[in-house]
Amino acid sequence: MTIAFVFPGQGAQTIGMGRALADAYPAAKAIFDEVDDALGESLSRLIWEGDIETLTLTQNAQPALMAASMAAMRALEAEGVTIEKASFVAGHSLGEYSALAAAGSISVADTARLLRTRGLAMQSAVPVGEGAMAAILGLDLETVRAVADEAAQGDVCQAANDNDPTQVVVSGTKAAVERAAVIAKEKGAKRAVMLPVSAPFHCALMQPAADAMAEALGGVEIKSPAVPLIANVRADAVTSPDEIRALLVEQVTGSVRWRESVQAMAAKGVTEFWEIGAGKALSGMIRKIDRALASRQVGTPEDAKAAAEA
């Protein structure tokens, strides 16, 4: 059995995530304390006792989901499972930062600050209401790319997330994405669902955020990860700190090639994926990509104990 550790992206956040881990494992509680210290505020109180609307704000959700993932990693370590159990790490969009923190490439404190910067920069890149994203269900990537090209009409419309064989997300200006939803249904999509997001992530409209991240990442130490990262925009293994830095900048405007990333790991021998942190969205995508692949969630003390015994 060859394992990859994968880390969720935005949308997986819930009030209370990680609290049972923090209560059960001092090292998990220390992660939330470290993130609070790095941000100069009690993000943990928001995560555990706040309201979901405030937690879902991009600048909060991004470091919060990383904290929950790293708390789960510390729980695994307390149960005797280290990062070397995995042959690869990967994460969906912001989850790539969690993957790098788990692999020791970027410190937890730096990762928290980077994700706060990333969230604020992505939110401010496009005025609220001017951008949108839509999930196109039932069309393949090439068809959705053609839909996005047809819908653009001088605006921005791009395939942003290639999640699995049944779902590709488009991102861009609101009018273009709405056109894409109509065109997709005309071309046989089962559904085209406008997503409740506050900004059009992973498209050219995010260039101001990419510029902000280039500056922020330039001031952070990045080490070679303990195990290779399968990068979102390349769907292949990366270990060079300079390449990781460049790809994290490119990721802001580039597509999340999740389907190809999972296929790449499977081709390299991975047979089981451990979803580290909140939710199980990635496990659902992985099943649709290849039903022969196994998955498990690690988000509670019980999950950590069961994984250690597996």
Side-chain angles (χ1 to χ4, degrees):
M1 181 175 65
T2 302
I3 296 169
F5 288 178
V6 295
F7 297 82
Q10 213 158 323
Q13 66 274 2
T14 58
I15 295 297
M17 64 181 180
R19 185 159 201 169
L21 292 168
D23 289 343
Y25 299 97
K29 172 66 164 62
I31 287 291
F32 289 102
D33 292 342
E34 186 174 357
V35 170
D36 287 352
D37 289 344
L39 298 180
E41 64 182 69
S42 184
L43 185 65
S44 59
R45 184 179 302 125
L46 171 61
I47 297 169
W48 296 336
E49 302 171 8
D51 63 275
I52 190 63
E53 291 79 13
T54 306
L55 180 60
T56 297
L57 292 174
T58 302
Q59 67 263 29
N60 293 327
Q62 295 200 20
L65 283 161
M66 183 277 295
S69 287
M70 286 305 301
M73 274 302 306
R74 294 294 181 262
L76 280 175
E77 290 163 6
E79 297 293 345
V81 178
T82 65
I83 188 67
E84 288 79 12
K85 176 85 170 178
S87 295
F88 301 96
V89 294
H92 192 283
S93 190
L94 82 90
E96 191 156 271
Y97 285 79
S98 305
L100 288 165
S105 183
I106 308 176
S107 73
V108 170
D110 281 342
T111 305
R113 287 186 286 263
L114 286 169
L115 286 173
R116 170 56 55 83
T117 298
R118 185 176 184 266
L120 288 168
M122 292 174 91
Q123 187 59 66
S124 63
V126 179
V128 173
E130 291 190 12
M133 300 180 78
I136 309 301
L137 309 180
L139 296 180
D140 64 21
L141 175 62
E142 291 309 315
T143 304
V144 174
R145 281 178 174 159
V147 166
D149 289 345
E150 183 178 340
Q153 298 179 21
D155 292 333
V156 171
C157 190
Q158 295 172 232
N161 300 352
D162 178 18
N163 285 333
D164 63 48
T166 70
Q167 183 191 117
V168 180
V169 175
V170 294
S171 181
T173 60
K174 187 170 186 286
V177 171
E178 289 173 342
R179 287 193 295 269
V182 173
I183 294 166
K185 284 186 273 193
E186 291 172 352
K187 291 187 181 295
K190 292 178 181 177
R191 293 174 67 201
V193 183
M194 300 298 290
L195 299 180
V197 294
S198 54
F201 306 129
H202 299 291
C203 76
L205 295 174
M206 288 287 111
Q207 188 57 49
D211 295 341
M213 290 313 297
E215 181 176 351
L217 284 157
V220 168
E221 181 184 15
I222 299 179
K223 302 175 184 176
S224 294
V227 297
L229 171 78
I230 302 295
N232 280 188
V233 296
R234 187 176 291 178
D236 201 1
V238 182
T239 56
S240 158
D242 288 342
E243 283 188 281
I244 288 168
R245 196 185 311 271
L247 291 171
L248 287 174
V249 174
E250 187 180 342
Q251 185 223 58
V252 179
T253 56
S255 296
V256 176
R257 296 167 62 184
W258 187 251
R259 176 182 58 85
E260 291 175 273
S261 294
V262 171
Q263 290 172 334
M265 286 183 273
K268 296 174 187 295
V270 172
T271 54
E272 183 167 325
F273 291 79
W274 292 14
E275 185 167 1
I276 313 293
K280 53 185 179 181
L282 299 184
S283 298
M285 293 177 196
I286 289 163
R287 277 194 298 276
K288 291 176 181 175
I289 294 166
D290 186 343
R291 292 201 171 274
L293 299 173
S295 60
R296 90 167 40 239
Q297 288 78 50
V298 183
T300 67
E302 294 74 21
D303 292 340
K305 288 181 172 64
E309 293 167 2

CSV table of all heavy atoms in Angstrom, one decimal, residues 254-307:
chain,number,residue,atom,x,y,z
A,254,GLY,N,-3.7,30.3,-12.1
A,254,GLY,CA,-3.7,29.0,-12.9
A,254,GLY,C,-4.8,28.1,-12.5
A,254,GLY,O,-5.4,28.2,-11.4
A,255,SER,N,-5.0,27.1,-13.3
A,255,SER,CA,-6.0,26.1,-13.0
A,255,SER,C,-5.5,25.1,-11.9
A,255,SER,O,-4.4,24.7,-11.9
A,255,SER,CB,-6.4,25.3,-14.3
A,255,SER,OG,-7.0,26.1,-15.2
A,256,VAL,N,-6.5,24.6,-11.1
A,256,VAL,CA,-6.2,23.5,-10.2
A,256,VAL,C,-6.4,22.2,-10.9
A,256,VAL,O,-7.6,21.8,-11.2
A,256,VAL,CB,-7.1,23.6,-8.9
A,256,VAL,CG1,-6.9,22.4,-8.0
A,256,VAL,CG2,-6.9,24.9,-8.2
A,257,ARG,N,-5.4,21.5,-11.2
A,257,ARG,CA,-5.5,20.3,-12.0
A,257,ARG,C,-5.6,19.1,-11.1
A,257,ARG,O,-4.7,18.2,-11.1
A,257,ARG,CB,-4.2,20.2,-13.0
A,257,ARG,CG,-4.2,21.3,-14.0
A,257,ARG,CD,-2.9,21.4,-14.7
A,257,ARG,NE,-2.5,20.2,-15.5
A,257,ARG,CZ,-1.4,20.0,-16.1
A,257,ARG,NH1,-0.4,21.0,-16.0
A,257,ARG,NH2,-1.1,18.9,-16.7
A,258,TRP,N,-6.7,19.0,-10.4
A,258,TRP,CA,-6.8,18.0,-9.3
A,258,TRP,C,-7.0,16.6,-9.9
A,258,TRP,O,-6.4,15.7,-9.5
A,258,TRP,CB,-8.0,18.3,-8.4
A,258,TRP,CG,-8.0,17.4,-7.3
A,258,TRP,CD1,-9.0,16.4,-7.0
A,258,TRP,CD2,-7.1,17.3,-6.2
A,258,TRP,NE1,-8.6,15.7,-5.9
A,258,TRP,CE2,-7.5,16.3,-5.3
A,258,TRP,CE3,-5.9,18.0,-5.9
A,258,TRP,CZ2,-6.8,15.9,-4.2
A,258,TRP,CZ3,-5.2,17.7,-4.7
A,258,TRP,CH2,-5.6,16.6,-3.9
A,259,ARG,N,-7.8,16.5,-11.0
A,259,ARG,CA,-8.0,15.2,-11.6
A,259,ARG,C,-6.7,14.6,-12.1
A,259,ARG,O,-6.3,13.5,-11.8
A,259,ARG,CB,-9.0,15.3,-12.7
A,259,ARG,CG,-9.2,14.0,-13.6
A,259,ARG,CD,-10.2,14.3,-14.7
A,259,ARG,NE,-9.7,15.3,-15.6
A,259,ARG,CZ,-8.9,15.1,-16.6
A,259,ARG,NH1,-8.4,13.9,-16.9
A,259,ARG,NH2,-8.5,16.1,-17.4
A,260,GLU,N,-5.9,15.4,-12.8
A,260,GLU,CA,-4.6,15.0,-13.3
A,260,GLU,C,-3.6,14.7,-12.2
A,260,GLU,O,-2.8,13.8,-12.3
A,260,GLU,CB,-4.1,16.0,-14.2
A,260,GLU,CG,-4.8,16.2,-15.6
A,260,GLU,CD,-4.3,17.3,-16.4
A,260,GLU,OE1,-4.7,18.5,-16.2
A,260,GLU,OE2,-3.3,17.1,-17.2
A,261,SER,N,-3.7,15.5,-11.1
A,261,SER,CA,-2.8,15.3,-10.0
A,261,SER,C,-3.1,13.9,-9.3
A,261,SER,O,-2.1,13.2,-9.0
A,261,SER,CB,-3.0,16.4,-8.9
A,261,SER,OG,-2.6,17.6,-9.4
A,262,VAL,N,-4.3,13.6,-9.1
A,262,VAL,CA,-4.7,12.2,-8.6
A,262,VAL,C,-4.2,11.1,-9.5
A,262,VAL,O,-3.6,10.1,-9.1
A,262,VAL,CB,-6.2,12.1,-8.3
A,262,VAL,CG1,-6.6,10.7,-7.9
A,262,VAL,CG2,-6.5,13.1,-7.1
A,263,GLN,N,-4.5,11.3,-10.8
A,263,GLN,CA,-4.0,10.3,-11.8
A,263,GLN,C,-2.5,10.2,-11.8
A,263,GLN,O,-2.0,9.1,-11.9
A,263,GLN,CB,-4.5,10.7,-13.2
A,263,GLN,CG,-6.0,10.6,-13.3
A,263,GLN,CD,-6.6,11.1,-14.6
A,263,GLN,OE1,-6.0,12.0,-15.2
A,263,GLN,NE2,-7.7,10.6,-15.1
A,264,ALA,N,-1.8,11.3,-11.6
A,264,ALA,CA,-0.3,11.3,-11.6
A,264,ALA,C,0.2,10.5,-10.4
A,264,ALA,O,1.1,9.7,-10.5
A,264,ALA,CB,0.2,12.7,-11.6
A,265,MET,N,-0.5,10.7,-9.2
A,265,MET,CA,-0.1,9.9,-8.1
A,265,MET,C,-0.4,8.4,-8.2
A,265,MET,O,0.4,7.6,-7.8
A,265,MET,CB,-0.7,10.5,-6.8
A,265,MET,CG,-0.1,11.8,-6.4
A,265,MET,SD,-0.8,12.6,-4.9
A,265,MET,CE,-2.2,13.5,-5.5
A,266,ALA,N,-1.5,8.1,-8.8
A,266,ALA,CA,-1.9,6.7,-9.0
A,266,ALA,C,-0.9,6.1,-10.0
A,266,ALA,O,-0.4,4.9,-9.8
A,266,ALA,CB,-3.3,6.6,-9.6
A,267,ALA,N,-0.4,6.8,-11.0
A,267,ALA,CA,0.5,6.3,-12.0
A,267,ALA,C,1.9,6.1,-11.3
A,267,ALA,O,2.7,5.2,-11.8
A,267,ALA,CB,0.7,7.3,-13.1
A,268,LYS,N,2.2,6.8,-10.2
A,268,LYS,CA,3.4,6.6,-9.5
A,268,LYS,C,3.3,5.6,-8.4
A,268,LYS,O,4.2,5.4,-7.5
A,268,LYS,CB,3.9,8.0,-8.9
A,268,LYS,CG,4.2,9.0,-9.9
A,268,LYS,CD,4.5,10.4,-9.3
A,268,LYS,CE,4.7,11.5,-10.4
A,268,LYS,NZ,5.9,11.3,-11.2
A,269,GLY,N,2.1,4.9,-8.3
A,269,GLY,CA,2.0,3.8,-7.4
A,269,GLY,C,1.1,4.0,-6.2
A,269,GLY,O,0.9,3.1,-5.4
A,270,VAL,N,0.6,5.2,-6.1
A,270,VAL,CA,-0.3,5.5,-4.9
A,270,VAL,C,-1.6,4.7,-5.0
A,270,VAL,O,-2.3,4.7,-6.1
A,270,VAL,CB,-0.6,7.0,-4.8
A,270,VAL,CG1,-1.6,7.3,-3.7
A,270,VAL,CG2,0.7,7.8,-4.5
A,271,THR,N,-2.0,4.0,-4.0
A,271,THR,CA,-3.2,3.2,-3.9
A,271,THR,C,-4.2,3.7,-2.9
A,271,THR,O,-5.4,3.4,-2.9
A,271,THR,CB,-2.9,1.7,-3.7
A,271,THR,OG1,-2.2,1.6,-2.4
A,271,THR,CG2,-2.1,1.1,-4.8
A,272,GLU,N,-3.7,4.6,-2.0
A,272,GLU,CA,-4.6,5.1,-0.9
A,272,GLU,C,-4.3,6.5,-0.6
A,272,GLU,O,-3.2,6.9,-0.5
A,272,GLU,CB,-4.5,4.2,0.4
A,272,GLU,CG,-5.4,4.6,1.5
A,272,GLU,CD,-5.5,3.6,2.6
A,272,GLU,OE1,-5.4,2.4,2.3
A,272,GLU,OE2,-5.7,4.1,3.7
A,273,PHE,N,-5.4,7.3,-0.4
A,273,PHE,CA,-5.3,8.7,-0.2
A,273,PHE,C,-5.9,9.0,1.2
A,273,PHE,O,-7.0,8.6,1.5
A,273,PHE,CB,-6.0,9.5,-1.2
A,273,PHE,CG,-5.4,9.5,-2.6
A,273,PHE,CD1,-5.6,8.4,-3.4
A,273,PHE,CD2,-4.6,10.5,-3.1
A,273,PHE,CE1,-5.0,8.3,-4.7
A,273,PHE,CE2,-4.0,10.5,-4.3
A,273,PHE,CZ,-4.2,9.4,-5.1
A,274,TRP,N,-5.1,9.7,2.0
A,274,TRP,CA,-5.6,10.1,3.4
A,274,TRP,C,-5.9,11.6,3.3
A,274,TRP,O,-5.0,12.5,3.0
A,274,TRP,CB,-4.5,9.9,4.4
A,274,TRP,CG,-4.2,8.4,4.7
A,274,TRP,CD1,-4.6,7.3,4.0
A,274,TRP,CD2,-3.5,7.9,5.8
A,274,TRP,NE1,-4.2,6.2,4.5
A,274,TRP,CE2,-3.5,6.5,5.7
A,274,TRP,CE3,-2.9,8.5,7.0
A,274,TRP,CZ2,-2.9,5.6,6.6
A,274,TRP,CZ3,-2.3,7.6,7.9
A,274,TRP,CH2,-2.3,6.2,7.7
A,275,GLU,N,-7.1,12.0,3.5
A,275,GLU,CA,-7.6,13.4,3.5
A,275,GLU,C,-7.4,14.0,4.9
A,275,GLU,O,-8.1,13.6,5.8
A,275,GLU,CB,-9.0,13.5,3.0
A,275,GLU,CG,-9.5,14.9,2.8
A,275,GLU,CD,-10.8,15.0,2.1
A,275,GLU,OE1,-11.4,13.9,1.7
A,275,GLU,OE2,-11.3,16.1,1.8
A,276,ILE,N,-6.4,14.9,5.0
A,276,ILE,CA,-6.0,15.3,6.3
A,276,ILE,C,-6.6,16.7,6.6
A,276,ILE,O,-6.3,17.7,6.0
A,276,ILE,CB,-4.5,15.5,6.4
A,276,ILE,CG1,-3.7,14.3,5.8
A,276,ILE,CG2,-4.0,15.8,7.8
A,276,ILE,CD1,-3.9,13.0,6.6
A,277,GLY,N,-7.6,16.7,7.6
A,277,GLY,CA,-8.2,17.9,8.0
A,277,GLY,C,-9.7,17.8,7.9
A,277,GLY,O,-10.3,16.8,8.2
A,278,ALA,N,-10.4,19.0,7.5
A,278,ALA,CA,-11.8,19.1,7.5
A,278,ALA,C,-12.5,18.4,6.3
A,278,ALA,O,-12.0,18.6,5.2
A,278,ALA,CB,-12.2,20.5,7.6
A,279,GLY,N,-13.6,17.8,6.5
A,279,GLY,CA,-14.4,17.3,5.4
A,279,GLY,C,-13.9,16.1,4.7
A,279,GLY,O,-12.9,15.5,5.0
A,280,LYS,N,-14.7,15.8,3.6
A,280,LYS,CA,-14.3,14.6,2.8
A,280,LYS,C,-14.6,14.9,1.3
A,280,LYS,O,-14.8,14.0,0.5
A,280,LYS,CB,-15.1,13.4,3.3
A,280,LYS,CG,-16.6,13.6,3.3
A,280,LYS,CD,-17.3,12.4,3.9
A,280,LYS,CE,-18.8,12.6,4.1
A,280,LYS,NZ,-19.5,11.4,4.6
A,281,ALA,N,-14.5,16.2,0.9
A,281,ALA,CA,-14.8,16.5,-0.5
A,281,ALA,C,-13.7,15.9,-1.4
A,281,ALA,O,-14.1,15.4,-2.5
A,281,ALA,CB,-14.8,18.0,-0.7
A,282,LEU,N,-12.5,15.9,-1.0
A,282,LEU,CA,-11.4,15.3,-1.9
A,282,LEU,C,-11.6,13.8,-2.1
A,282,LEU,O,-11.4,13.3,-3.2
A,282,LEU,CB,-10.0,15.6,-1.3
A,282,LEU,CG,-9.7,17.1,-1.2
A,282,LEU,CD1,-8.2,17.2,-0.7
A,282,LEU,CD2,-9.9,17.8,-2.5
A,283,SER,N,-12.0,13.1,-1.0
A,283,SER,CA,-12.2,11.7,-1.1
A,283,SER,C,-13.3,11.4,-2.1
A,283,SER,O,-13.3,10.4,-2.9
A,283,SER,CB,-12.6,11.1,0.3
A,283,SER,OG,-11.6,11.3,1.2
A,284,GLY,N,-14.4,12.2,-2.1
A,284,GLY,CA,-15.5,12.1,-3.1
A,284,GLY,C,-15.0,12.3,-4.5
A,284,GLY,O,-15.3,11.5,-5.5
A,285,MET,N,-14.1,13.3,-4.8
A,285,MET,CA,-13.5,13.5,-6.1
A,285,MET,C,-12.7,12.3,-6.5
A,285,MET,O,-12.7,11.9,-7.7
A,285,MET,CB,-12.7,14.8,-6.1
A,285,MET,CG,-13.5,16.0,-5.9
A,285,MET,SD,-12.4,17.5,-5.8
A,285,MET,CE,-13.4,18.7,-5.1
A,286,ILE,N,-11.9,11.8,-5.6
A,286,ILE,CA,-10.9,10.7,-5.9
A,286,ILE,C,-11.7,9.5,-6.3
A,286,ILE,O,-11.3,8.8,-7.3
A,286,ILE,CB,-10.0,10.4,-4.7
A,286,ILE,CG1,-9.0,11.6,-4.5
A,286,ILE,CG2,-9.3,9.1,-4.8
A,286,ILE,CD1,-8.4,11.7,-3.1
A,287,ARG,N,-12.8,9.2,-5.7
A,287,ARG,CA,-13.6,8.0,-6.1
A,287,ARG,C,-14.1,8.2,-7.5
A,287,ARG,O,-14.2,7.2,-8.2
A,287,ARG,CB,-14.8,7.9,-5.1
A,287,ARG,CG,-14.5,7.1,-3.8
A,287,ARG,CD,-15.7,6.7,-3.1
A,287,ARG,NE,-16.6,7.8,-2.7
A,287,ARG,CZ,-16.4,8.5,-1.6
A,287,ARG,NH1,-15.4,8.2,-0.8
A,287,ARG,NH2,-17.2,9.5,-1.3
A,288,LYS,N,-14.5,9.4,-7.9
A,288,LYS,CA,-15.0,9.6,-9.2
A,288,LYS,C,-13.8,9.6,-10.3
A,288,LYS,O,-14.1,9.2,-11.4
A,288,LYS,CB,-15.7,11.0,-9.3
A,288,LYS,CG,-17.0,11.0,-8.5
A,288,LYS,CD,-17.7,12.3,-8.6
A,288,LYS,CE,-19.0,12.3,-7.8
A,288,LYS,NZ,-19.6,13.7,-7.7
A,289,ILE,N,-12.6,9.9,-9.8
A,289,ILE,CA,-11.5,9.9,-10.7
A,289,ILE,C,-11.1,8.4,-11.0
A,289,ILE,O,-10.8,8.0,-12.1
A,289,ILE,CB,-10.3,10.7,-10.1
A,289,ILE,CG1,-10.7,12.2,-10.1
A,289,ILE,CG2,-9.0,10.5,-10.9
A,289,ILE,CD1,-9.8,13.0,-9.2
A,290,ASP,N,-11.0,7.6,-10.0
A,290,ASP,CA,-10.6,6.2,-10.1
A,290,ASP,C,-11.2,5.4,-9.0
A,290,ASP,O,-10.7,5.5,-7.8
A,290,ASP,CB,-9.1,6.1,-10.1
A,290,ASP,CG,-8.6,4.7,-10.4
A,290,ASP,OD1,-9.3,3.7,-10.3
A,290,ASP,OD2,-7.4,4.6,-10.8
A,291,ARG,N,-12.2,4.6,-9.2
A,291,ARG,CA,-12.8,3.8,-8.2
A,291,ARG,C,-11.9,2.7,-7.5
A,291,ARG,O,-12.2,2.2,-6.5
A,291,ARG,CB,-14.1,3.1,-8.7
A,291,ARG,CG,-15.2,4.2,-9.0
A,291,ARG,CD,-16.6,3.5,-9.1
A,291,ARG,NE,-17.6,4.6,-9.2
A,291,ARG,CZ,-18.1,5.2,-8.2
A,291,ARG,NH1,-17.7,4.9,-6.9
A,291,ARG,NH2,-19.0,6.2,-8.3
A,292,ALA,N,-10.8,2.5,-8.2
A,292,ALA,CA,-9.9,1.5,-7.6
A,292,ALA,C,-9.0,2.1,-6.5
A,292,ALA,O,-8.4,1.3,-5.7
A,292,ALA,CB,-8.9,1.0,-8.7
A,293,LEU,N,-9.1,3.4,-6.3
A,293,LEU,CA,-8.3,4.1,-5.3
A,293,LEU,C,-9.0,4.1,-4.0
A,293,LEU,O,-10.2,4.4,-4.0
A,293,LEU,CB,-7.9,5.5,-5.7
A,293,LEU,CG,-7.1,5.6,-7.0
A,293,LEU,CD1,-6.9,7.0,-7.5
A,293,LEU,CD2,-5.7,4.9,-6.8
A,294,ALA,N,-8.4,3.8,-2.9
A,294,ALA,CA,-9.0,3.9,-1.6
A,294,ALA,C,-8.7,5.3,-0.9
A,294,ALA,O,-7.8,6.0,-1.3
A,294,ALA,CB,-8.4,2.8,-0.7
A,295,SER,N,-9.6,5.6,0.0
A,295,SER,CA,-9.4,6.9,0.7
A,295,SER,C,-9.8,6.8,2.2
A,295,SER,O,-10.6,5.9,2.5
A,295,SER,CB,-10.1,8.0,0.0
A,295,SER,OG,-11.5,7.8,0.0
A,296,ARG,N,-9.3,7.6,3.0
A,296,ARG,CA,-9.7,7.7,4.4
A,296,ARG,C,-9.6,9.1,4.8
A,296,ARG,O,-8.7,9.9,4.4
A,296,ARG,CB,-8.9,6.7,5.3
A,296,ARG,CG,-7.7,7.3,5.9
A,296,ARG,CD,-7.1,6.4,7.0
A,296,ARG,NE,-7.1,5.0,6.8
A,296,ARG,CZ,-7.7,4.1,7.7
A,296,ARG,NH1,-8.3,4.6,8.7
A,296,ARG,NH2,-7.6,2.8,7.5
A,297,GLN,N,-10.5,9.5,5.8
A,297,GLN,CA,-10.4,10.9,6.3
A,297,GLN,C,-9.7,10.8,7.7
A,297,GLN,O,-9.9,9.9,8.4
A,297,GLN,CB,-11.9,11.4,6.5
A,297,GLN,CG,-12.6,11.8,5.3
A,297,GLN,CD,-13.2,10.6,4.5
A,297,GLN,OE1,-13.8,9.8,5.1
A,297,GLN,NE2,-12.9,10.5,3.2
A,298,VAL,N,-8.9,11.9,7.9
A,298,VAL,CA,-8.3,12.0,9.2
A,298,VAL,C,-8.6,13.5,9.7
A,298,VAL,O,-7.9,14.4,9.4
A,298,VAL,CB,-6.7,11.8,9.1
A,298,VAL,CG1,-6.1,12.0,10.5
A,298,VAL,CG2,-6.4,10.5,8.5
A,299,GLY,N,-9.7,13.5,10.5
A,299,GLY,CA,-10.1,14.8,11.0
A,299,GLY,C,-10.5,14.8,12.4
A,299,GLY,O,-10.9,15.9,13.0
A,300,THR,N,-10.5,13.7,13.1
A,300,THR,CA,-10.9,13.5,14.5
A,300,THR,C,-9.9,12.6,15.2
A,300,THR,O,-9.1,11.9,14.6
A,300,THR,CB,-12.3,12.9,14.6
A,300,THR,OG1,-12.2,11.5,14.1
A,300,THR,CG2,-13.4,13.6,13.7
A,301,PRO,N,-9.9,12.7,16.5
A,301,PRO,CA,-9.0,11.7,17.3
A,301,PRO,C,-9.3,10.3,16.9
A,301,PRO,O,-8.3,9.5,16.8
A,301,PRO,CB,-9.4,12.0,18.7
A,301,PRO,CG,-9.9,13.4,18.8
A,301,PRO,CD,-10.6,13.6,17.5
A,302,GLU,N,-10.5,9.9,16.7
A,302,GLU,CA,-10.8,8.5,16.3
A,302,GLU,C,-10.2,8.2,15.0
A,302,GLU,O,-9.7,7.1,14.8
A,302,GLU,CB,-12.4,8.3,16.3
A,302,GLU,CG,-13.0,8.4,17.6
A,302,GLU,CD,-13.2,9.9,18.1
A,302,GLU,OE1,-13.1,10.8,17.3
A,302,GLU,OE2,-13.3,10.1,19.4
A,303,ASP,N,-10.3,9.1,14.0
A,303,ASP,CA,-9.7,8.9,12.7
A,303,ASP,C,-8.2,8.7,12.8
A,303,ASP,O,-7.6,7.9,12.2
A,303,ASP,CB,-9.9,10.2,11.8
A,303,ASP,CG,-11.4,10.3,11.4
A,303,ASP,OD1,-12.2,9.4,11.5
A,303,ASP,OD2,-11.7,11.5,11.0
A,304,ALA,N,-7.5,9.5,13.7
A,304,ALA,CA,-6.1,9.5,13.8
A,304,ALA,C,-5.7,8.1,14.4
A,304,ALA,O,-4.7,7.5,14.0
A,304,ALA,CB,-5.6,10.6,14.7
A,305,LYS,N,-6.4,7.6,15.4
A,305,LYS,CA,-6.1,6.3,16.0
A,305,LYS,C,-6.3,5.2,15.0
A,305,LYS,O,-5.5,4.3,14.9
A,305,LYS,CB,-7.0,6.1,17.2
A,305,LYS,CG,-6.6,7.0,18.4
A,305,LYS,CD,-7.5,6.7,19.6
A,305,LYS,CE,-7.1,7.4,20.9
A,305,LYS,NZ,-7.1,8.9,20.8
A,306,ALA,N,-7.4,5.3,14.2
A,306,ALA,CA,-7.7,4.3,13.2
A,306,ALA,C,-6.7,4.2,12.1
A,306,ALA,O,-6.2,3.2,11.7
A,306,ALA,CB,-9.1,4.5,12.6
A,307,ALA,N,-6.2,5.4,11.7
A,307,ALA,CA,-5.2,5.5,10.7
A,307,ALA,C,-3.9,4.9,11.2
A,307,ALA,O,-3.2,4.2,10.4
A,307,ALA,CB,-5.0,6.9,10.3
